Amino acid sequence: MRLTGNIGITGNQNFANISSVSIYNYNSNVNYNQFGQGVSLNMLGNPDLEPQKTQQISTSLDFNLFNNRLTGYFNLYKKETNPLIVPVDLPSSTGVFSYPYNVGSLTYKGAESKITFFPIYDLAKGLTWSLGLTASSYKSEYNGFGDLLASLNKKQENDKNLVRYIDGNSAEAIWAIKSLGIDPATGREMFLTKEGQYTFDYSAANIANVGNTVANMEGVISTNLRYKQFTFGLGLRYRIGGDIYNSALFNKVENISYTNITNNQDKRALYERWKQPGDISQFKGISQTSTTPISSRFVQSNNTLSSESLNIGFLFNNEPWLKSLGLESLSTNFMANDFLYFSTVRRERGIDYPYARTFAFSLKASF
């Protein structure tokens, strides 16, 4: 067994126009300046800007037990970026859209593990069988913003963005108004205010943290079997907990535009809507033509189990018929990916890439 720990600080150079020096653009258009070429201020630099630094502390326990029958590691880490560099909006009278500030911090705390166990490990007979499990989990938290990013959060709200920069909350949090579902009597959506009252009226003041896109735990379950020339390997990826905002339902059922309605209308917009008093429905009445706001009604718990990989192979060697063909060896291999998928969230167009199964077969000969 081995116990290790480390600490380190790294910088970050992945910035675009955020800078400690002002940036200018040359402008030779005579429509702006008839006297010749000039310059215009593109980015106002902050001379007191500090570099963004990330401190990471981690510790790991590696183990190898029972004559290599049980191996793996457990790792704990903490990553804190302080200070952050954030472009803060300036008044329009300044002529500059934003100004880079050092404000706030972002902390990640997480754990990772990997365990491999061999129920059968007999090299003399050429037989080995292993079971493997990887798992990871993390949480993040913003701090030190105060009210400095109020204008940025307001812009996120106007842009119908699910992200906010608020102290004590996760960077992966989903921000929306809490929904109580569709009122069976009227077909209208009901909302929950911060005071705990029911209302039909949407108000941005009631937007709250309604979910998180990070899984409680995720990883891969695997098994590998080898018997003489035969090999078999299977990997299943799992995800437990966490949420997803189903943008396909939000955009294609209740908020589809008049332009797209003839090209890509979701049939649930007609068949699964509230129709008459007493109906229990996920979607509001079709007579409710007002724009549907971002709400927790479209936040769904995201638990999945999918096939990571499948590999089946066989190696032919020292066979009499190989010699007659002038071959040293012949190997066959069958591979498949994404052939199984189970989830609490239906795969919708617009959430991720199309669901595609991949199968491959290979034949390799050595002379």
Side-chain angles (χ1 to χ4, degrees):
M1 303 183 73
R2 180 179 63 178
L3 179 65
T4 61
N6 65 73
I7 181 173
I9 298 177
T10 59
N12 188 352
Q13 62 182 18
N14 297 321
F15 295 107
N17 290 336
I18 298 178
S19 175
S20 59
V21 296
S22 298
I23 299 174
Y24 296 85
N25 285 336
Y26 284 106
N27 191 343
S28 58
N29 193 326
V30 295
N31 293 326
Y32 295 111
N33 187 355
Q34 60 181 336
F35 298 103
Q37 182 170 278
V39 295
S40 59
L41 181 63
N42 183 54
M43 181 71 188
L44 182 62
N46 182 354
D48 299 321
L49 198 66
E50 296 181 24
Q52 182 170 290
K53 300 182 291 292
T54 299
Q55 181 188 75
Q56 178 166 324
I57 302 174
S58 67
T59 181
S60 178
L61 175 65
D62 302 339
F63 56 89
N64 188 325
L65 307 171
F66 311 118
N67 295 323
N68 297 323
R69 296 284 293 271
L70 180 64
T71 63
Y73 65 82
F74 294 99
N75 181 38
L76 299 175
Y77 66 88
K78 176 183 177 182
K79 294 174 62 176
E80 181 179 9
T81 302
N82 187 11
L84 295 172
I85 299 178
V86 181
V88 179
D89 292 343
L90 294 180
S92 57
S93 58
T94 63
V96 181
F97 291 107
S98 62
Y99 186 66
Y101 272 106
N102 288 123
V103 54
S105 64
L106 176 59
T107 302
Y108 282 92
K109 296 179 181 179
E112 301 171 333
S113 66
K114 179 180 180 180
I115 299 175
T116 303
F117 174 61
F118 284 86
I120 301 176
Y121 193 78
D122 191 339
L123 296 180
K125 295 182 179 180
L127 176 62
T128 61
W129 176 37
S130 69
L131 299 172
L133 174 68
T134 66
S136 65
S137 178
Y138 71 88
K139 293 182 179 181
S140 65
E141 183 178 342
Y142 283 126
N143 275 302
F145 288 146
D147 295 328
L148 288 175
L149 299 185
S151 60
L152 182 58
N153 287 325
K154 184 64 177 177
K155 184 177 184 298
Q156 297 289 90
E157 175 190 318
N158 294 335
D159 293 342
K160 295 185 178 181
N161 198 303
L162 299 169
V163 179
R164 300 292 187 275
Y165 304 94
I166 299 176
D167 290 344
N169 287 275
S170 170
E172 293 79 25
I174 299 175
W175 291 85
I177 191 169
K178 292 183 179 179
S179 175
L180 298 173
I182 304 303
D183 178 23
T186 63
R188 299 175 62 187
E189 184 173 11
M190 298 181 293
F191 305 107
L192 184 67
T193 68
K194 289 185 176 180
E195 293 76 26
Q197 302 296 319
Y198 297 178
T199 180
F200 289 119
D201 300 322
Y202 171 84
S203 173
N206 294 318
I207 289 178
N209 185 337
V210 296
N212 197 299
T213 59
V214 176
N216 296 332
M217 183 178 294
E218 59 183 333
V220 175
I221 303 170
S222 62
T223 182
N224 288 278
L225 174 67
R226 179 183 293 273
Y227 179 63
K228 296 182 178 180
Q229 296 100 335
F230 173 77
T231 58
F232 171 84
L234 175 65
L236 301 175
R237 178 168 291 277
Y238 68 90
R239 173 192 170 98
I240 302 173
D243 305 297
I244 186 173
Y245 191 83
N246 198 324
S247 57
L249 296 182
F250 179 75
N251 291 317
K252 296 297 183 182
V253 176
E254 294 183 5
N255 278 330
I256 193 166
S257 66
Y258 286 108
T259 303
N260 295 328
I261 201 168
T262 57
N263 300 324
N264 195 13
Q265 173 71 72
D266 193 300
K267 64 180 182 180
R268 285 169 291 185
L270 295 176
Y271 302 129
E272 298 184 20
R273 301 285 284 269
W274 180 93
K275 298 181 179 65
Q276 60 186 2
D279 284 349
I280 305 299
S281 176
Q282 181 183 1
F283 306 110
K284 67 182 184 182
I286 199 169
S287 60
Q288 305 295 324
T289 58
S290 59
T291 301
T292 298
I294 293 177
S295 73
S296 62
R297 182 160 56 101
F298 301 98
V299 176
Q300 298 176 319
S301 180
N302 190 21
N303 301 292
T304 62
L305 178 66
S306 60
S307 53
E308 179 88 348
S309 62
L310 172 66
N311 189 294
I312 302 174
F314 195 90
L315 174 64
F316 298 93
N317 58 2
N318 299 322
E319 302 286 344
W321 59 272
L322 286 175
K323 301 297 182 181
S324 63
L325 296 176
L327 299 176
E328 290 284 338
S329 64
L330 181 68
S331 62
T332 61
N333 197 42
F334 173 76
M335 296 166 288
N337 294 307
D338 287 338
F339 56 92
L340 290 176
Y341 184 82
F342 304 98
S343 176
T344 55
V345 179
R346 173 183 172 183
R347 278 192 165 178
E348 304 276 1
R349 293 172 297 173
I351 292 182
D352 50 22
Y353 288 103
Y355 181 43
R357 299 177 178 89
T358 303
F359 301 95
F361 178 80
S362 67
L363 185 66
K364 182 179 179 181
S366 299
F367 298 90

